[in-house]
Structures are given as C-alpha cells and as structure tokens.
Amino acid sequence: MFIEALEEEANAIRNVEPRVHVKLERGVITGAGDSYAACLAIEGISKGKFRCVDPYDLLEWDPPASLVIVSVSGKPVVYQWLLEKFRGRSKIYVVTANPRSRIAEQADEIVDIPYTPKLQLPGTLSFFSTLKTLYGLAGIEEKVEQGKPLPLGHEPFFVGKSGNYGIAYFASLKMSEIFGEISRAERFEQFLHSPIFSTKDRRVILLSSGDDRERKLLSEVDNLSLTECTTLLCNAESVILSVIQEMRRRGWDRIYYLENKNILRASSNMIY
C-alpha cells in the first residue's frame, strides 16, 4: 500500500507547476523537517542570498527585513512564536499548502505550495512541491533532468555540495521516517575530513553537481555511487526513487514513524 502510494507521488513530480506571484532577491528563510531541507537547498543554490536558519534558533535573532516561513501544514507552534516576535518588524512571507492556517492568516504575503495530501505519508511530493515553490520565490531556474534510483543499502551516507547538502539532509530524513534507521547527511568537503572513515560496509550516495572533484572521489572510493544529475531537483527525484527501490528490495511496505505511536506522540506534543 505505502510503496504504491509513494510511487504514485513520484510519478506526479513532473506535473508540479507552482504559480508564485511574489519574487524576492534575498532574505532569511526558516523551516523544520523537510522544509528545513528545502531551506538548506535554497541557501546553497542562491549562494547565500537566502540564509537558512532553524526556527527555534531564529527566536533569538534580531528581526530580518524579509522573513520567509516555510511549512506545508502551517501548524507547528514555533512559527506562531516567530510571528509574535517579528510581526510588524519584518515583512513575513508564509510558504504553505495550508493557506487557512493560523500562521498564514497573519502573514504579510502567502505563497501557495501546490500540494494536497491523499494519505499520511513521509514527505516526497510535498518536498518537491515546496522546493519548486521556493525556486519560484527566489527566481531560480534549472535545466530539466531525469532522476534515476541508486542502491542505498542500510545506513547510507548522503553527501552533497552547496544546495545538494539540503537534498542530502532530506534523504536522511526519509531513512529515519520510513525505516527508523540511522543515516548521515554530509557536506562534500566536511565528509572528506572525518566521516569518510566510518563508511566501511555502508553505501555512500554522492549527489552530483558536476564538480570534477566528485568524479575524482568516485575513482577513489569503491562503495560510492554518483547520481547522473547535476541539478537539485533531479537529485531530489533520484533520492525519492532510490528510497522506493530500497523499500521494494527489503520488502518493506511500512512507514516506521506511523507505527511507533509513543515516539510519534512525543514528537507531535513538542511540535504542535
């Protein structure tokens, strides 16, 4: 059931066409979970014009001129706290699939994410829709590429340079939510300085940006796979397809976070 549902979402990726009426040149962007992964991706691809900050950390900051709050559901309480602190001091944009949420109703501008859930799932199509919406907001375009799955195995490493670090972070979230399994998200240069020493018997998935050093690392490390993509959107699609392929390989038609009610309750009590 879950594999088929995720495959249905993966097949819908190429039909995502956000209509974004707002354009920004720079600002502070914040989000949690998948939204934080998209936030990291935009920070990287915009070369820092959009700075990504954890929402709870942001409560201790001075008000930025432009604040972009990214939340598919619009429900986490931390965003309400941010609005209470920064409303009237920052121009606040809420990027959400729930324009009737409490935080959206208090925003200066609402930017719609084109996503309507059919079933409670770990975010896949919702992440892709969020990332494309943020591209529209930031005026970013990428060439169109076709994502392809790669073998993951157990406890893989996901490594990415610049905006691809956000995609690596997204990939590690899916391993936690779906398999209840530890994985690692690493920036390319930082990976070389220490985490590489703990990769024995674990797959390393390098999210390509077309950098020559990525090809060099591929020739140095036997257990490394390099995506064929050079864009963030394509690498995100490759991650989604790879996770689905791994579910099929394991015969894992389950979603770990939905089964573990105590952990889910604790998480929800803290978030909402």
Side-chain angles (χ1 to χ4, degrees):
M1 177 182 77
F2 288 114
I3 292 175
E4 286 74 14
L6 289 170
E7 284 180 328
E8 182 179 346
E9 289 209 338
N11 290 333
I13 281 174
R14 298 193 167 273
N15 299 324
V16 174
E17 295 183 1
R19 297 178 180 178
V20 181
H21 64 283
V22 177
K23 303 291 182 183
L24 291 177
E25 292 187 0
R26 63 186 65 251
V28 169
I29 184 169
T30 191
D34 288 354
S35 296
Y36 184 65
C39 170
L40 289 169
I42 292 298
E43 179 181 71
I45 198 171
S46 72
K47 297 179 173 59
K49 291 180 180 178
F50 290 87
R51 184 163 183 190
C52 179
V53 184
D54 175 276
Y56 200 57
D57 290 348
L58 189 57
L59 288 169
E60 299 178 2
W61 282 41
D62 292 330
S66 297
L67 173 59
V68 181
I69 297 174
V70 186
S71 175
V72 173
S73 71
K75 294 179 180 180
V77 68
V78 68
Y79 303 130
Q80 183 60 42
W81 298 338
L82 286 173
L83 280 161
E84 290 169 0
K85 178 168 183 177
F86 294 130
R87 191 170 54 241
R89 305 167 70 195
S90 303
K91 184 158 187 181
I92 299 175
Y93 303 82
V94 171
V95 180
T96 184
N98 184 7
R100 296 181 181 176
S101 66
R102 188 177 177 187
I103 65 165
E105 290 174 348
Q106 298 176 76
D108 295 304
E109 296 274 1
I110 300 172
V111 180
D112 290 328
I113 298 171
Y115 177 74
T116 302
K118 296 180 181 179
L119 181 69
Q120 190 174 6
L121 292 170
T124 50
L125 180 59
S126 60
F127 173 78
F128 199 88
S129 301
T130 299
L131 187 55
K132 288 204 75 171
T133 301
L134 291 175
Y135 270 38
L137 181 72
I140 294 168
E141 295 183 1
E142 287 186 328
K143 65 182 179 181
V144 177
E145 296 181 304
Q146 180 75 47
K148 295 180 181 178
L150 294 171
L152 299 183
H154 288 269
E155 301 184 358
F157 280 71
F158 299 98
V159 180
K161 169 180 173 285
S162 190
N164 274 318
Y165 174 65
I167 309 305
Y169 186 80
F170 165 71
S172 71
L173 297 181
K174 298 310 104 179
M175 296 300 293
S176 294
E177 293 167 353
I178 294 174
F179 300 111
E181 182 172 304
I182 294 170
S183 60
R184 295 283 294 273
E186 301 289 346
R187 296 183 185 274
F188 182 84
E189 184 66 22
Q190 304 308 319
F191 172 74
L192 302 175
H193 285 254
S194 180
I196 192 171
F197 294 105
S198 57
T199 60
K200 188 176 186 300
D201 299 325
R202 298 167 69 179
R203 294 299 306 170
V204 178
I205 311 302
L206 181 52
L207 304 170
S208 176
S209 66
D211 190 301
D212 288 343
R213 291 182 76 211
E214 294 165 349
R215 288 283 175 189
K216 182 178 179 181
L217 183 61
L218 180 64
S219 69
E220 298 279 352
V221 179
D222 292 336
N223 58 329
L224 186 146
S225 297
L226 180 68
T227 60
E228 296 180 16
C229 301
T230 57
T231 64
L232 273 61
L233 291 170
C234 183
N235 279 323
E237 182 181 13
S238 295
V239 164
I240 292 167
L241 295 174
S242 298
V243 168
I244 294 170
Q245 176 178 269
E246 183 65 18
M247 291 175 74
R248 285 205 175 278
R249 186 188 73 82
R250 298 187 192 188
W252 186 275
D253 196 16
R254 303 161 54 191
I255 304 297
Y256 182 86
Y257 86 89
L258 293 176
E259 296 179 356
N260 287 267
K261 302 300 183 183
N262 289 339
I263 299 174
L264 180 59
R265 186 181 304 110
S267 172
S268 296
N269 287 344
M270 292 298 296
I271 293 171
Y272 307 113

